Amino acid sequence: MPPRVSIVTRTKDRPLFLTRALRSIASQSFADWEVVIVNDGGARAAVDRALADSGIDTSKVAVIDHPTATGRWPAANAGVRATSGEFLILHDDDDSWAPAFLDAAVEYLDAHPDRLGVVSRIQIVWERRVGDDIQPIGEEQFLPDSLAPLLMDQLQFNRFIPIAFLYRRTAHDLVGPYDESVPVVGDWLFNTQILLRGPLDYLGPTPLVFWHQRPSASGVDGNSVIEARDDHALHDALVRDQALRGSIDRDGPGLPLYLTAYVDRRLREAEDIVRTEVARLQHEMTNPLYVAARRMWRRLRNPGGDARQR
């Protein structure tokens, strides 16, 4: 029997982080899983060291070695193709789970067969590497006011990271593989296609996923959302531009032309309001006698107003 959950982990020469990731998998209270590690152009010795140090059951782990790096999304697709579980998830090599995550996510999907997947709330863990030690320096919840993983929000930017999203294998039959034409933002595109097919829920209010970020790190220790922020911005813009071009090809330029002019006009109006208010405040700050006279005039016109306001 295939395992119920298949976990794909992409890595390259990061044994310290990979060890932590594998430990978080091994600590899950739900045990019916397999792991496929895609070693994307890294040294195999680094993967072997992490497997040994993590204490994970290696009989449940397979390793795919790519002689040269293929990129984030070709590596993800290679891992997905090598799995057999009913449910899938990408577990980045520098992130981690609470022990209850898989249990809660599988229980939810079993109870909601109409949903393609489920999303955990996310705790950002700010950290730094000091030698062979990883030191946390702060935490905050990602999007704490979000009501649900909504399509209207997802169109603005990616609302959940791969490690927080357990989904059915059948989702790939509907939306296809991860988009290999982009070096980044492939998860945003995939998640958006999922939300186009139907709504998603959060598991609950408590984050069960930890998104580890190192704002000062670069090179092999860096986070793509920080170190490759320019790539993210570029490909985000290119994706939107391509979608706009397709929309205009189908429906003509009328609505985009109207919206760009409308938004520009409203922004100018907002700027004018702010500019006028700032000028008024500056005038009042530099003319105390004027402010006192205005207050006296209001009292004379409405002598009971101050008492009612109090």
Side-chain angles (χ1 to χ4, degrees):
M1 293 289 293
R4 298 208 68 197
V5 174
S6 294
I7 304 162
V8 175
T9 298
R10 301 159 293 177
T11 192
K12 182 182 178 183
D13 294 331
R14 305 210 297 184
L16 182 64
F17 299 124
L18 181 59
T19 298
R20 179 177 63 186
L22 294 175
R23 284 174 179 164
S24 93
I25 296 170
S27 72
Q28 293 299 294
S29 54
F30 181 89
D32 190 11
W33 46 259
E34 66 175 350
V35 182
V36 172
I37 299 173
V38 183
N39 179 29
D40 198 39
R44 177 58 186 263
V47 175
D48 292 339
R49 185 162 75 243
L51 287 168
D53 292 345
S54 67
I56 197 169
D57 182 354
T58 55
S59 69
K60 300 166 74 171
V61 180
V63 180
I64 298 173
D65 287 304
H66 289 169
T68 58
T70 61
R72 291 178 180 86
W73 306 113
N77 286 329
V80 168
R81 288 193 296 269
T83 62
S84 57
E86 177 184 359
F87 305 124
L88 282 163
I89 192 164
L90 303 185
H91 190 311
D92 284 345
D93 67 351
D94 60 343
D95 293 329
S96 61
W97 287 329
F101 169 69
L102 283 182
D103 236 337
V106 171
E107 181 180 3
Y108 174 92
L109 290 177
D110 283 343
H112 299 82
D114 58 317
R115 297 298 167 95
L116 284 176
V118 66
V119 179
S120 169
R121 292 191 181 270
I122 300 162
Q123 189 78 357
I124 299 174
V125 180
W126 302 102
E127 63 188 19
R128 63 187 173 195
R129 177 174 176 173
V130 181
D132 287 335
D133 186 30
I134 305 171
Q135 299 178 348
I137 56 177
E139 293 190 7
E140 62 179 292
Q141 188 170 334
F142 181 61
L143 302 176
D145 297 326
S146 175
L147 301 175
L150 300 174
L151 177 62
M152 64 180 182
D153 296 330
Q154 178 71 9
L155 294 176
Q156 183 183 16
F157 64 85
N158 197 22
R159 296 289 164 150
F160 50 98
I161 58 175
I163 194 176
F165 182 39
L166 184 72
Y167 62 92
R168 300 182 191 278
R169 175 177 295 276
T170 53
H172 284 292
D173 298 332
L174 296 173
V175 306
Y178 290 99
D179 190 339
E180 298 184 7
S181 69
V182 291
V184 292
V185 307
D187 49 342
W188 173 48
L189 297 177
F190 182 77
N191 295 345
T192 303
Q193 287 298 315
I194 294 293
L195 283 167
L196 283 168
R197 267 71 178 182
L200 296 174
D201 291 327
Y202 287 125
L203 281 174
T206 303
L208 298 176
V209 165
F210 304 101
W211 186 12
H212 297 265
Q213 297 192 34
R214 294 164 297 283
S216 61
S218 60
V220 72
D221 288 347
N223 298 97
S224 71
V225 293
I226 297 174
E227 191 177 21
R229 64 174 66 90
D230 291 343
D231 283 345
H232 279 267
L234 171 63
H235 288 281
D236 179 286
L238 290 175
V239 166
R240 294 178 190 278
D241 198 58
Q242 182 180 3
L244 177 61
R245 189 176 294 107
S247 177
I248 290 174
D249 284 344
R250 290 190 303 273
D251 304 319
L255 183 60
L257 286 173
Y258 168 76
L259 287 176
T260 51
Y262 175 79
V263 171
D264 185 59
R265 184 174 69 251
R266 293 306 301 268
L267 286 174
R268 287 200 305 272
E269 291 172 355
E271 289 173 356
D272 290 342
I273 292 171
V274 171
R275 196 176 294 112
T276 301
E277 183 66 13
V278 168
R280 183 187 68 79
L281 291 172
Q282 288 175 338
H283 178 73
E284 291 184 356
M285 290 173 64
T286 56
N287 295 272
L289 292 177
Y290 168 78
V291 174
R294 285 189 62 188
R295 287 176 179 167
M296 181 61 70
W297 176 247
R298 283 199 299 268
R299 288 172 185 162
L300 290 171
R301 292 191 63 187
N302 189 14
D306 289 346
R308 285 195 296 271
Q309 288 175 5
R310 287 197 296 269

